[in-house]
């Protein structure tokens, strides 16, 4: 009688269990910590994490875990999320959808029932009871660039490698369904000796040269060109190429709200945040006067453009994207921006460019926005935060006043900005900040993570503070207490009950979620003077671990950019099919 182990390993040079293979591949592509929740369909797989030198983070629920994986990936480059079949993956699906919308590479691993159970259509827990085991994968199909069901051992290694490559290169989530009986199935481990090829797709040289020549022609003929950098420059890893092009051409460069942090804001060519009518007047005037706008990685959503309020012409625009380039109205599919940018840097002759007017000076206008009141107003607060921030901080802003207020903050060198302007899921920032803070640990640095979140938003996901405490995350939370959903009030229902919340004892949240005095410190701030003293305090600026600031602002006070964008959003909401 032939031993069953021999049958499973026959023909394999280095037999390895599927879970071990998967997790070692995750480690090879850069993941060091894994978010998620345990469930009976993934428990055996979780036992393999230490073998691959992966740390289990865990979270309080799957939605928060997905948000955390999103934040981790934005800092570390890629992340992993593990949930269980049905109930777990559906709890996470909103967070994964946000990662898809915003081009964030998350590997979503779902522990599923055995292949035998699925084949026989058994009525198992965590299912709909109808024998359909494809329904949840089908839901995830629309928010994944690759979806693999790991059913056949002879195909699994190829499936894993292909999915991880797609996730990284396309910077979007992938979905892997791992049945319980495949966790310990044997596959070829020799493949692990060869890393997955994560090199960028190469453009066709002739097409790339043609696009570059066309771009150079317009660039050299332009009298008043500028650059506008957006989110996909960050997500698709062309920030360094963008910087080199700015350095060589000295073109005035602006960022969108989603692109904030892509450009060093102390750079002499930096001109500020452009978002149509939501911009400062001097920024709007400078950008819209340009006769050529070179955009890098544009995502022209409503909140990113202040309600589609750009007054720029496509005739004066060159758009560089991760999958194509568009020059005026001519589109060049398959010509990706990284190759084009590299060749532009090589070929552009600064001597042939017209001398252009620089962009407006950007500074933190603290004194200009200070009044005689002790009340902390949005207009003063955000520039003041610009003076508090340090080089290389990670700044996370929540959908609401923070996402719009941060436009008025000039960052120091090296600041990483995280926001979810397109998907805009309220509460995202709390989980994302946890993931970002732990990603810095995995990178071996000591950067601060600073979170700005409203009292309405934090109520949705506040439990994730317990995960921050558990892992001793170095994070400072500014909880903006202004009695509810300010962004919603600005759009509709200024005094409506549905935009109100009950007031919590905010500064006690770390203690409620398990923090001892040594692990967290809390503050209550109601006046400018109190805030000034706090921001100048050496211990507050340099303390490891968690800090929680209960910060009071007026109920109806909102950043200028939010007021303008909300009005535009309200108008769009009012439009009818006959409009």
């Amino acid at each position: 009688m032939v031993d069953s182990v021999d049958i499973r390993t026959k023909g394999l040079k280095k037999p390895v269990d599927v879970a071990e293979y998967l997790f070692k591949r995750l480690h090879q592509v850069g993941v060091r910590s894994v978010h998620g929740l345990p469930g009976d369909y993934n428990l055996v797989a979780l036992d393999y994490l230490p073998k691959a030198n992966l740390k289990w983070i865990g979270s309080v629920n799957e939605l928060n875990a997905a948000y955390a994986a999103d934040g981790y990936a934005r800092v570390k480059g890629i992340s992993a999320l593990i949930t269980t079949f049905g109930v777990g993956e559906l709890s996470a699906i909103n967070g994964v959808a946000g990662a898809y919308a915003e081009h964030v590479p998350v590997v979503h691993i779902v522990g599923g029932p055995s292949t035998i159970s699925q084949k026989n259509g058994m009525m198992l827990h965590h299912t709909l009871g109808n024998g359909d085991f494809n329904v949840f994968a089908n839901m995830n199909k629309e928010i994944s660039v690759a979806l693999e069901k790991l059913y056949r051992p002879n195909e699994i290694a190829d499936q894993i490698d292909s999915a991880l490559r797609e996730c990284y290169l396309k910077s979007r989530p992938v979905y892997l369904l791992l049945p319980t009986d495949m966790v310990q199935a044997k596959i070829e481990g020799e493949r692990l000796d060869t890393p997955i090829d994560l090199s960028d797709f190469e453009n066709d040289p002739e097409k790339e040269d043609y696009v570059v020549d066309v771009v150079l022609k317009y660039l050299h003929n332009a009298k008043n060109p500028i650059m506008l950098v957006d989110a996909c420059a960050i997500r698709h890893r062309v920030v360094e190429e963008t910087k080199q092009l700015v350095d060589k051409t000295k073109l005035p460069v602006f960022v969108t709200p989603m692109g904030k942090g892509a450009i060093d804001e102390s750079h002499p060519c930096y001109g500020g945040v452009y978002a149509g009518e939501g911009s400062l007047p001097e920024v709007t005037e400078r950008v819209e006067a340009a006769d050529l706008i070179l955009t890098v990685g544009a995502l022209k959503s409503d909140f990113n453009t202040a309600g589609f309020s750009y007054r720029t012409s496509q005739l004066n625009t060159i758009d560089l994207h991760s999958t194509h380039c568009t020059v005026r109205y001519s589109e060049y599919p398959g010509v990706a921006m990284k190759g084009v940018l590299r060749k532009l840097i090589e070929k552009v002759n600064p001597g042939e460019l017209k001398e252009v007017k620089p962009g407006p000076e950007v500074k933190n206008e603290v004194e200009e926005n200070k009044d005689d009141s002790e009340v902390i107003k949005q207009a003063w607060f955000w520039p003041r935060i610009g003076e508090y921030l340090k080089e290389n901080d990670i700044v996370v802003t929540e959908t609401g006043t923070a996402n719009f207020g941060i436009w008025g903050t000039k960052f120091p060198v090296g600041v990483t900005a995280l926001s979810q302007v397109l998907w805009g899921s309220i509460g995202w920032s709390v989980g994302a900040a946890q993931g970002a803070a732990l990603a810095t640990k995995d990178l071996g640095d000591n950067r601060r993570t600073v979170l700005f979140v409203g009292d309405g938003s934090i109520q949705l996901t506040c439990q994730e503070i317990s995960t921050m405490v558990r892992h001793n995350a170095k994070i400072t939370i500014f909880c903006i207490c202004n009695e509810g959903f300010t962004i919603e009030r600005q759009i509709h229902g200024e005094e409506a009950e549905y935009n109100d919340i009950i007031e919590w004892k905010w500064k006690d949240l770390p203690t409620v979620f398990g923090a001892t005095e040594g692990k967290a410190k809390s503050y209550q701030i109601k006046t400018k003077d109190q805030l000034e003293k706090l921001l100048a305090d050496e211990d507050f600026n340099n303390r490891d671990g968690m800090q929680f600031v209960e910060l009071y602002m007026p109920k109806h006070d909102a950043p200028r950019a939010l007021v303008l964008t909300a009005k535009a959003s309200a108008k769009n909401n009012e439009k009818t099919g006959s409009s």
Side-chain angles (χ1 to χ4, degrees), residues 199-385:
S199 57
D200 291 294
F201 300 112
E202 296 289 334
N203 291 330
D204 178 283
E206 289 187 8
K207 292 180 180 178
E208 182 177 89
D209 285 339
Y210 181 81
V211 171
V212 169
D213 287 344
V214 172
V215 172
L216 285 173
K217 182 186 77 170
Y218 286 112
L219 192 57
H220 288 145
N221 288 333
K223 296 178 181 178
N224 195 19
I226 65 157
M227 289 180 64
L228 180 61
V229 184
D230 209 336
C232 282
I234 302 170
R235 308 288 196 272
H236 293 278
R237 301 172 292 278
V238 296
V239 169
E240 182 56 33
E241 288 82 358
T242 303
K243 176 185 180 298
Q244 290 177 20
L245 186 60
V246 172
D247 286 342
K248 187 170 183 180
T249 62
K250 304 296 188 292
L251 290 177
V253 59
F254 301 81
V255 296
T256 68
M258 290 181 72
K260 192 163 169 61
I263 296 295
D264 171 10
E265 298 189 4
S266 65
H267 196 289
C269 294
Y270 178 67
V273 178
Y274 176 66
E277 292 177 358
S279 321
L280 292 174
E282 59 269 28
V283 172
T284 303
E285 180 182 355
R286 183 68 185 83
V287 171
E288 295 179 358
D291 63 346
L292 181 67
I293 301 175
L294 180 62
T295 77
V296 183
L299 274 173
K300 297 178 183 177
S301 70
D302 53 352
F303 278 12
N304 204 31
T305 61
F308 307 114
S309 61
Y310 278 20
R311 289 196 180 93
T312 58
S313 170
Q314 188 60 41
L315 279 171
N316 296 334
T317 303
I318 296 172
D319 294 313
L320 306 183
H321 295 282
S322 61
T323 57
H324 67 282
C325 294
T326 302
V327 182
R328 304 177 77 180
Y329 287 104
S330 300
E331 184 171 315
Y332 302 92
V335 182
M337 61 184 170
K338 181 167 281 191
V340 171
L341 283 167
R342 287 176 174 173
K343 201 158 282 185
L344 279 174
I345 294 163
E346 176 189 333
K347 287 190 170 185
V348 68
N349 181 356
E352 293 185 41
L353 299 176
K354 309 291 190 299
E355 187 173 344
V356 297
K357 174 186 172 186
E361 180 187 2
V362 179
K363 63 178 183 176
N364 285 307
E365 297 184 337
V366 181
E367 291 303 316
E368 292 88 336
N369 286 291
K370 190 173 184 179
D371 55 30
D372 295 332
S373 167
E374 272 300 297
V375 174
I376 301 169
K377 297 284 188 68
Q378 300 272 349
W380 172 81
F381 175 73
W382 295 105
R384 180 63 187 87
I385 286 299

